[in-house]
Amino acid sequence: MNTKVWKVDKFVDIFESNPHIVDAANFLRENEVVALPTETVYGLGGNAESDEAVAKIFAAKGRPGDNPLIIHIADREHLNRFVKEIPLTAERLMDAFWPGPLTIIFKKKEGVLSEKATAGLGTVAVRMPDHPVALALLRACELPIAAPSANSSGKPSPTSAEHVLDDLNGKIAGVVDGGATGVGVESTVVDCTDGIPVILRPGGVTREQLAAVIGEVQVDPALMDGAERPKSPGMKYKHYAPNAPLYLVSGTSEFFQRIVEEKEREGLKVGVLTTEECEDLFDADVVLACGRRAELETVAASLYDTLRRFNQMKVDIIFSEMFPNEGVGHAIMNRLLKAAGNKIISE
Ligand code: TXA
Ligand code: MG
């Protein structure tokens, strides 16, 4: 399959009448799958009401069928089509964070969406992306769009159209190239179906921001220790992994450097994932600064690109700094721990 690339400017090409947007929307209406930029990561979009389109999403990504997709909408009115009830907490969260990197789990109205999109669950995950191109495309196709991150399953999520093409070129109808995404980690997933809202996946909206709006918010215990079965099906899979094994290092920079040298003596090409502040503390084959520690948003924005760059540099092993588990650091650590298969080396 020839994968089309529509280059758009996210400051200009923001109307549903734009010819590129119209073309991409026509593919979606014909149940083809198209990658699109959002403010978090690129999504692989398909008509959420069509089994055919949703099957194509799962096939292109190689995604396990029991992992449901997030449905993207441009208009809150559309919720009523496929959501059974909208609790007050969800209303308040939507008022505060939509459009934006917050996915809300609702009880599902049966018989509207493809059962494949929701993996047969009685609930549905929905978000309104804060990206003018994504919103224009959603308005142009007038469909609820199911869109997981547009990477091959298990790989780091894509934050540029190049990343999408690295994984999916030839496997999807097209990609709307709107440049690099902003937030860099996926949306926060919050379950609002039962009493106190529960964070199932940390992401672009922080626990602190949620608490400021709705007061009490819980975190799925499975996110803290791997023992419990996560409520969000996708969280149980290995994910975000670069090609080389990744280890998180807890300790002083001297300890970190000793580990690097040990592996280099064994003849391995060693990669270090660090930050601009700490870059000069390390001497290794490949040292990549992933944003600034003092502003964790910059680390989130560069994280997946940095993990992919280690693949290009063909390192044999990667050691990474750790980050504080607060604010967007919660999402960063969640993704790094998954990418590392929870492997931490402590001093
Ligand atoms: O930022 C994002 O959320 C991106 C962009 C493209 O919107 N999308 C994304 O989708 O990250 P994906 O498929 O990579 O992750 C969706 C997550 C998975 O962990 C999945 O298990 C969970 O949402 N999920 C979807 N529906 C659910 C449901 N009904 N109940 C619990 N978890 C659900
Ligand atoms: Mg994903």
Side-chain angles (χ1 to χ4, degrees), residues 3 5 7 35-37 40-44 60-61 149-153 155-172 174-182 184-186 240 288 290 299-312:
T3 299
V5 179
K7 272 227 174 265
L36 62 144
T40 56
V41 301
Y42 273 72
L44 181 58
K61 282 183 61 89
S149 49
N151 50 288
S152 295
S153 212
K155 291 264 155 51
S157 299
T159 53
S160 69
E162 291 74 38
H163 294 165
V164 175
L165 291 169
D166 284 345
D167 283 11
L168 301 178
N169 197 6
K171 296 183 177 171
I172 60 176
V175 50
V176 181
D177 179 356
T181 61
V185 290
E186 297 86 342
Y240 315 111
L288 297 181
C290 179
V299 176
S302 308
L303 183 64
Y304 294 140
D305 182 60
T306 307
L307 291 175
R308 283 175 180 262
R309 276 163 64 205
F310 283 117
N311 293 349
Q312 285 163 1

